[in-house]
Amino acid sequence: MSVIELTDATFDEQIAEQGEGITVVDFWAPWCGPCRMVGPVIEELAEENTDVRFGKLNVDDNQTMAQRYGVRSIPTIGFFKDGEAIGSVVGAYPKEALQDVIEQVKAGKAETA
């Protein structure tokens, strides 16, 4: 499954469109070195987790959504279940660690920061 490019204008529709299920959103910026490291990890996770929807939101171009979800540091990876924000992690997490968080979210046991 591919990663969807999200904007302030499309965010609510795209997240709600998922309906029941999990959406993972990468809040990033092009100038951010750690964000550039996380980008390919998000792409790989999207390919491997076909039951999860993945999106990316450039915080420089879409400040409204970044503010709404309290993004103060990037990269921030936000987790949404059934269209509702349930938590996030901040920093350049390795693939295995992000996969573990995704599994916790799927099991309803997520304790994200």
Side-chain angles (χ1 to χ4, degrees):
M1 181 175 275
S2 64
V3 178
I4 301 162
E5 291 292 330
L6 300 168
T7 66
D8 284 344
T10 65
F11 192 92
D12 289 332
E13 179 182 334
Q14 292 288 342
I15 298 301
E17 189 177 285
Q18 174 68 15
E20 291 186 17
I22 298 165
T23 305
V24 177
V25 178
D26 178 11
F27 293 89
W28 72 288
W31 50 265
C32 168
C35 296
R36 291 194 305 268
M37 292 178 0
V38 169
V41 170
I42 295 295
E43 296 281 344
E44 288 179 30
L45 290 168
E47 291 298 321
E48 295 170 8
N49 292 274
T50 56
D51 58 334
V52 176
R53 185 179 191 133
F54 288 81
K56 292 178 68 85
L57 182 98
N58 180 328
V59 298
D60 285 344
D61 296 338
N62 301 282
Q63 295 178 11
T64 300
M65 290 300 122
Q67 288 176 338
R68 179 191 291 176
Y69 293 105
V71 176
R72 290 178 175 78
S73 298
I74 53 174
T76 291
I77 310 300
F79 298 90
F80 297 79
K81 188 166 187 175
D82 302 334
E84 298 294 323
I86 60 168
S88 63
V89 295
V90 178
Y93 275 54
K95 180 180 173 185
E96 295 77 19
L98 284 176
Q99 183 63 51
D100 286 346
V101 176
I102 291 168
E103 293 302 324
Q104 290 175 18
V105 170
K106 286 179 182 180
K109 300 177 183 175
E111 293 185 16
T112 58

